Amino acid sequence: MADISQTLRGKFITFEGTEGTGKTTQIQCLEEYLHSRGLNVLVTREPGGTRAGEQVRTVLLEQTEVPLDARTELLLMFAARAQHLAEIIYPALRDGAWVLCDRFTDASYAYQGGGRGISDSDIKEIESVVHPGFQPDLTIVLTCALETAMQRVSSRGKKDRFERESQDFFERVHAAYLKLAGRDPKRFAVINTEPEIEEVASRIRQTVDSRFSL
Ligand code: TMP
């Protein structure tokens, strides 16, 4: 297969972290900043981002009464991702857009790998089928104390399939994210979201400014 990255003029920035770390707020802040610099920005999310992907998201997150084997969960994440890449991400990057994506494949390593215990090598095989040679230009992992994150999640109302998981599960997810970030410091930036929202947003802007010429 031809190297798809060669045809992509835009930038692909992904946001990761356990639930309750403030991704949605920070993505919005970065979107405003990039807009203010005159850039074409697209915000999207996983699982989801397309009509088919949003339906898969419902099965994965909301239909908690439908049992899902860990491997089914992993394959559904990648099925939604394949559609998302083909329909939204690649076309936007070809057009030169800055795509801000709320979670991507690192979430599969963290949740289905770290959380559910599927091996990295199994995930890698599926990754190599779904997006061979393609990786985010920058991945921002947001972290905060697990207690802070859990408090933020419990204030949101009905819990989805993952939000019902144990503290142990989230500790494994968190550890998996830090392991991924440690292996590839060029692609990843780990940012603590305990400080005030504006302070965190400013650190993210600095990271983006230092890694790309805007
Ligand atoms: P959220 O991003 O709105 O918090 O919800 C998405 C949930 O899906 C979150 O709990 C993480 C989970 N997830 C995975 O388990 N694997 C994946 O590959 C992705 C993209 C998300």
Side-chain angles (χ1 to χ4, degrees):
M1 191 186 287
D3 182 358
I4 191 141
S5 310
Q6 303 293 321
T7 66
L8 307 175
R9 297 183 301 118
K11 297 284 176 231
F12 185 46
I13 302 181
T14 58
F15 282 75
E16 300 283 356
T18 54
E19 11 280 288
T21 47
K23 282 183 293 106
T24 313
T25 310
Q26 291 303 331
I27 290 173
Q28 221 178 337
C29 293
L30 184 61
E31 179 188 17
E32 281 166 20
Y33 174 63
L34 294 174
H35 263 147
S36 76
R37 307 296 299 254
L39 296 165
N40 173 14
V41 189
L42 179 98
V43 174
T44 187
R45 68 169 180 182
E46 291 208 352
T50 64
R51 279 178 68 191
E54 290 295 327
Q55 289 183 40
V56 173
R57 181 183 176 95
T58 304
V59 175
L60 279 164
L61 301 188
E62 285 165 36
Q63 294 177 356
T64 46
E65 73 288 359
V66 177
L68 286 182
D69 177 76
R71 277 165 200 279
T72 312
E73 191 178 271
L74 176 70
L75 290 166
L76 287 175
M77 293 292 177
F78 272 101
R81 183 163 300 135
Q83 188 62 28
H84 195 202
L85 284 160
E87 199 178 316
I88 306 287
I89 299 174
Y90 289 152
L93 293 175
R94 275 191 205 104
D95 274 358
W98 286 61
V99 178
L100 307 185
C101 193
D102 188 340
R103 302 189 185 281
F104 190 62
T105 295
D106 297 304
S108 299
Y109 283 101
Y111 284 78
Q112 283 65 53
R116 304 273 193 236
I118 297 179
S119 72
D120 281 2
S121 60
D122 282 356
I123 301 174
K124 212 169 194 40
E125 273 194 50
I126 304 169
E127 177 184 15
S128 71
V129 172
V130 174
H131 54 92
F134 174 74
Q135 289 295 337
D137 296 293
L138 169 66
T139 297
I140 296 173
V141 178
L142 299 181
T143 64
C144 66
L146 209 51
E147 298 72 49
T148 315
M150 293 296 123
Q151 268 167 20
R152 288 180 185 158
V153 170
S154 3
S155 65
R156 285 184 196 158
K158 192 171 179 283
K159 290 194 166 141
D160 69 27
R161 191 185 300 276
F162 292 99
E163 288 165 352
R164 288 159 186 234
E165 287 295 340
S166 63
Q167 180 153 341
D168 260 20
F169 178 89
F170 286 108
E171 273 164 11
R172 290 198 301 276
V173 170
H174 178 71
Y177 272 132
L178 294 185
K179 195 167 110 194
L180 287 163
R183 270 195 218 139
D184 192 355
K186 268 199 176 143
R187 171 161 74 89
F188 284 88
V190 179
I191 293 180
N192 185 319
T193 61
E194 296 278 351
E196 292 299 313
I197 290 174
E198 185 39 47
E199 169 61 28
V200 176
S202 153
R203 287 186 196 172
I204 293 176
R205 287 196 292 272
Q206 281 166 23
T207 303
V208 170
D209 286 344
S210 70
R211 302 216 183 182
F212 306 102
S213 45
L214 294 188

